[in-house]
């Protein structure tokens, strides 16, 4: 084997080595990139889960708000009915107050003793 | 209380014409009419009955007023309770709305982070695609490699 052949073999070996190293380096870089992609996907999935959970919590608050608004509407309806009832009662009170004033201004009212005794009995003070 | 005292206190009443009393009282029989003292007693009795009747009417009306006021008071208390409940619910609603707002802000932030993470995924995948494209040799390059090999073989 002469020197020239040896040079060729050495050159071929160097080229083959360079090619092998290049291929391995390329595979390594691709593996790194694939790992980066997987890590990024995992992180994105975690972030998405967190976002979904927070959205779910917000949805629960929204449902609670709707429930509370419904309860408040019910109470307002009750309060409105009570206001109407209060107006009627106030009218009754005014009427009763007017009756008291009217009867207070009457110094005497004609009545038989029988009628008077009946009234007193109604009031809880029976005659005799 | 004697009749004389009543006459003095009710002198004004005595000047009014007395109302006739019911016979059931037994105070207006024929014999009493003849006697002045009994007549005065009858008049006084009638006036007392009228005043007592007025007082009874006032008492009845006052009791009715008390009942109405008590009902009014009870209704007001019920109204107050309803208002208290409403206020409590409104306070709770306010707190819940604040919490909902905070949760929505938090969710939006998390969604933005998720979007950023997905952008990162896309960018990393783009890099991978570029690397794979670089690795993949084209047919022309392969032909060139073959020609280079043939050339080298010819030289050898």
């Amino acid at each position: 084997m002469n020197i020239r052949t040896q040079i060729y073999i050495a050159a071929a070996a160097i080229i083959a080595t360079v090619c092998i190293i290049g291929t391995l380096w390329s595979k390594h870089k691709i593996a790194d990139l694939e790992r980066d992609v997987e890590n990024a996907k995992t992180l994105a999935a975690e972030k998405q889960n967190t976002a979904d959970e927070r959205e779910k919590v917000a949805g629960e608050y929204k449902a609670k708000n709707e429930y509370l608004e419904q309860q408040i509407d019910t109470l307002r309806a009750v309060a409105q009915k009570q206001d109407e009832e209060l107006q009627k009662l106030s009218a009754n009170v005014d009427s009763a107050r007017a009756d008291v004033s009217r009867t207070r201004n009457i110094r005497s009212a004609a009545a038989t003793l029988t009628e008077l005794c009946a009234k007193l009995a109604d009031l809880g003070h029976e005659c005799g | 209380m004697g009749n004389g005292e009543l006459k003095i206190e009710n002198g004004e009443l005595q000047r009014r014409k007395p109302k006739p009393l019911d016979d059931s009282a037994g105070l207006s029989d024929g014999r009493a009419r003849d006697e002045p003292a009994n007549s005065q007693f009858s008049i006084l009795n009638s006036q007392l009955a009228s005043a007592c009747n007025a007082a009874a009417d006032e008492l009845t009306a006052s009791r009715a007023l008390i009942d109405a006021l008590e009902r009014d008071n009870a209704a007001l208390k019920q109204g107050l309770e309803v208002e208290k409940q409403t206020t409590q619910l409104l306070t709770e609603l306010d707190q819940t709305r604040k919490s909902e707002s905070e949760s929505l802000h938090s969710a939006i932030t998390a969604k933005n982070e998720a979007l950023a993470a997905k952008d990162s995924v896309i960018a990393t995948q783009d890099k991978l695609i570029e690397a794979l494209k670089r690795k993949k040799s084209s047919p022309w390059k392969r032909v060139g490699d073959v020609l280079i090999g043939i050339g080298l073989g010819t030289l050898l």
Side-chain angles (χ1 to χ4, degrees), chain B residues 2 9 13 26-27 33 35 37 43 58 65 73-75 81 93-94 97 100-101 108 110 114 123 129 141 146 155:
Chain B
E9 288 176 1
L13 289 173
L27 295 171
R33 248 181 260 135
E35 299 174 7
I43 292 167
E58 185 181 345
L65 175 61
N73 194 26
E81 285 301 317
L93 179 65
D94 181 51
R97 278 184 174 160
E100 184 192 8
S101 175
I108 288 168
I129 289 166
K141 194 180 174 184
V146 169
L155 283 173

Side-chain angles (χ1 to χ4, degrees), chain A residues 8 54 65 69 114 119 123, chain B residues 24 57 97 100 106 156:
Chain A
Y8 286 148
R54 290 180 183 174
N65 279 339
E69 283 170 359
T114 308
K119 279 187 183 178
L123 289 168
Chain B
S24 62
D57 286 343
R97 278 184 174 160
E100 184 192 8
S106 176
L156 290 173

Side-chain angles (χ1 to χ4, degrees), chain B residues 9 21 23 27 40 47 53 56 79 81 85-86 109 127 130:
Chain B
E9 288 176 1
L21 276 175
D23 288 342
L27 295 171
Q40 283 183 351
Q47 289 168 344
N53 189 37
E81 285 301 317
Q85 287 179 10
T86 306
T109 305
K127 282 182 187 174
E130 286 299 320

Side-chain angles (χ1 to χ4, degrees), chain A residues 75, chain B residues 78-91:
Chain A
L75 282 177
Chain B
Q78 285 181 355
L80 182 63
E81 285 301 317
V82 170
E83 286 301 322
K84 279 181 182 175
Q85 287 179 10
T86 306
T87 305
Q88 187 182 352
L89 284 178
L90 283 170
T91 307

Side-chain angles (χ1 to χ4, degrees), chain A residues 24-40:
Chain A
L24 290 174
W25 177 251
S26 176
K27 282 187 177 177
H28 172 71
K29 290 296 288 180
I30 287 169
D32 276 351
L33 286 170
E34 284 175 346
R35 196 166 50 249
D36 288 346
V37 169
E38 288 304 317
N39 289 338

